Amino acid sequence: MLTTLIYRSHISDDVPVKILPDMVSRASKLNETQDVTGILLFNGTHFFQILEGPDEGVQYVYQRICSDVRHHNIVELMQDHAPYRRFGNAGMELFDLREHDKDSVLQAVLDKGTSLYQLTYDDRALQFLRTFVEAREKENYFEVPPIEQWDFIVDEFEEYTPVNRLTKTSEHGISFHPILDPFARKVTSIQAIINTASVEDIALDPIEHHRLDLALAIKAIRIAGNTLPEDMMLYVNIMPMTLVEIPDAVEQIVAGIADAELVTAQISLAVSEMALISRPDAFVMAVTKLKAAGVSLAIDHFGAGTAGLSLLTRIQPDKIRIDASITRNVHNSGPKQAVVQAILRCCSALEIWVIATGIERAEEWMWLEAAGIINFQGPLFTCDLTHNVAWPELKFTA
Ligand SMILES: Cc1cc2nc3c(=O)[nH]c(=O)nc-3n(C[C@H](O)[C@H](O)[C@H](O)COP(=O)(O)O)c2cc1C
């Protein structure tokens, strides 16, 4: 099977352009041994490469390319299969866009094509190539600075802040996790995670299951009530069907909030996009009651379920929490970047607040921050040993 892989990257600062022809002739030889062909475009700052060949060969070459320090911010734009090679000349060819005038450069690149058919058909690979040559989409190239510039520092004085006290609490399988705005150095809210495994292990009839789910959500609110600062929100996960199957679930939650001496505006119920909503009309009615009581709604694991953006045409939550499956390695995945940008555009039009969850790597956080996300959650911001919040800090460079 013929695989096509396309990526773009940024030349590293200390790499003189004059080394490129030599690098390319060596790379070309290696590509030949793998039966990989393609084209490498360079515009003075960015590379764009199409690799074509047997899947194993393309992956082997791409692995080497990814670990090459002569470029960074490598974003994989496309991986697909095709019946024929677009650029089938042996090895690999470098094409410097700067050596051609603007009006004829695209044609000059296409002239390098070796496909039986003209390279002007409606083909995704060629549309990517054209977008790069015409320098469109450049506003979406977020250059993530090297992670070595950042330290993640735990502020010793914050050891006993209410937030850090909460994040060390774990009771009845309920734990608390900070959501933060790293640049403002502010914890903006807390999420109570209820370990549903303990709930699911118990063989209960469905109604008992929902009763237990509701009881744990109220328990989480009560535990947080002792500590949660007045200006901070608490997200509490609940199964969507709990709000439907327990007729007075909303009333019980509101009463639980009052007992915890919190106000309803501090609580956001987070329902998972993945949980099946089998009675959407009844769910919408429960949400109406929640909102009337002042409790807001968040959609959790957004993007991991099947509903996706179409969910937002039926229910507009106050917040969405983008799932870790989308944020993981977003900095080097073109498809993930496109999905995040679509979510952000949509949420901005609907005035829905977005939280990026599951952040493990500094590059993920930096890319998402550049895309416009302010609130983050994930192990990157929590010290493994102490569970205290760890803040990103620029390293001092002499
Ligand atoms: C923008 C760019 C494109 C590259 N393209 C290829 C390529 O198509 N094939 C290849 O073998 N090496 C390519 N390389 C070089 C590899 O990263 C690597 O240096 C080369 O495979 C030799 O591997 P080695 O240094 O481990 O011997 C490229 C490097 C850069 C910076």
Side-chain angles (χ1 to χ4, degrees), residues 19 50 65 77 112 128 175 210 277 292 307 315 332-333 367 389:
I19 63 127
I50 298 184
I65 294 175
L77 300 172
K112 297 279 175 195
F128 273 116
S175 54
H210 290 302
I277 301 173
I315 303 161
N332 48 30
S333 161
W367 190 91
V389 179

Side-chain angles (χ1 to χ4, degrees), residues 52 72 79 85 91 133 138 143 146 152 200 205 257 279 305 311 314 316 358 386 396:
E52 298 177 301
H72 58 274
Q79 222 183 121
R85 293 173 196 252
V133 172
K138 261 192 141 170
E143 305 295 354
F152 283 78
E200 278 153 14
D205 73 72
I257 295 170
R279 289 165 55 199
L311 181 73
R314 281 181 282 132
Q316 289 88 48
T386 59
F396 177 73

Side-chain angles (χ1 to χ4, degrees), residues 180-200:
L180 42 95
D181 173 352
F183 273 150
R185 247 184 122 91
K186 190 174 183 300
V187 174
T188 54
S189 41
I190 298 281
Q191 190 196 11
I193 294 185
I194 297 160
N195 180 4
T196 46
S198 61
V199 182
E200 278 153 14

Side-chain angles (χ1 to χ4, degrees), residues 7 9 23 26-27 30-31 40 47 49 51 61 64-65 68 70-71 92:
Y7 75 89
S9 63
M23 179 191 91
R26 288 160 66 108
L30 194 124
N31 286 9
L40 176 68
F47 294 108
Q49 188 168 18
L51 296 165
V61 169
R64 296 170 86 107
I65 294 175
D68 194 320
R70 288 171 288 191
H71 61 166
M92 191 251 283

